[in-house]
Amino acid sequence: EDMPRTTVAGIGIEYELLGEVGRPAAVVIPGGRYSMQSPGIGEMGAALAAGGRRVLLWDRPNCGASDIAFEDDSEAKMHARILVELVRQLDLGPVAAVGGSAGSRV
């Protein structure tokens, strides 16, 4: 199944939105090089949505189906910058960030 895709600062980003429009938003940020398709990520998103959140699942640049990119001083800084712009594009802010490992640095 194809996921929605958008371009953020010239980088193609794959994402999925769960839950009802207008609910408080949360973003799930997988750790390591894991994608939003990794076991447990979709289930966590579904549980957050069932609890009343609008949930953004996304593949960071260099992870999953999003584009490869080498920008900024660090990869974590690039991921954070892209996430802020993605949240703005999707009109989700403010969001609660849920992440582990490399995802928590974003």
Side-chain angles (χ1 to χ4, degrees):
E1 178 178 317
D2 289 335
M3 293 291 150
R5 185 174 180 88
T6 191
T7 300
V8 178
I11 300 169
I13 301 295
E14 297 277 329
Y15 70 95
E16 182 177 4
L17 286 169
L18 307 172
E20 296 179 30
V21 174
R23 299 283 187 166
V27 58
V28 177
I29 311 166
R33 294 268 174 229
Y34 295 108
S35 77
M36 64 182 162
Q37 300 298 327
S38 297
I41 302 300
E43 292 84 352
M44 180 183 289
L48 289 167
R53 291 280 185 167
R54 178 77 163 153
V55 181
L56 171 63
L57 305 177
W58 71 304
D59 283 346
R60 294 165 289 154
N62 307 328
C63 301
S66 289
D67 288 353
I68 302 293
F70 300 100
E71 299 180 10
D72 295 305
D73 297 333
S74 72
E75 192 173 51
K77 184 176 176 181
M78 175 185 60
H79 290 167
R81 179 176 58 82
I82 297 299
L83 178 57
V84 167
E85 291 304 317
L86 179 61
V87 166
R88 286 179 178 152
Q89 273 190 26
L90 299 174
D91 197 25
L92 294 176
V95 299
V98 180
S101 182
S104 66
R105 286 194 299 268
V106 174

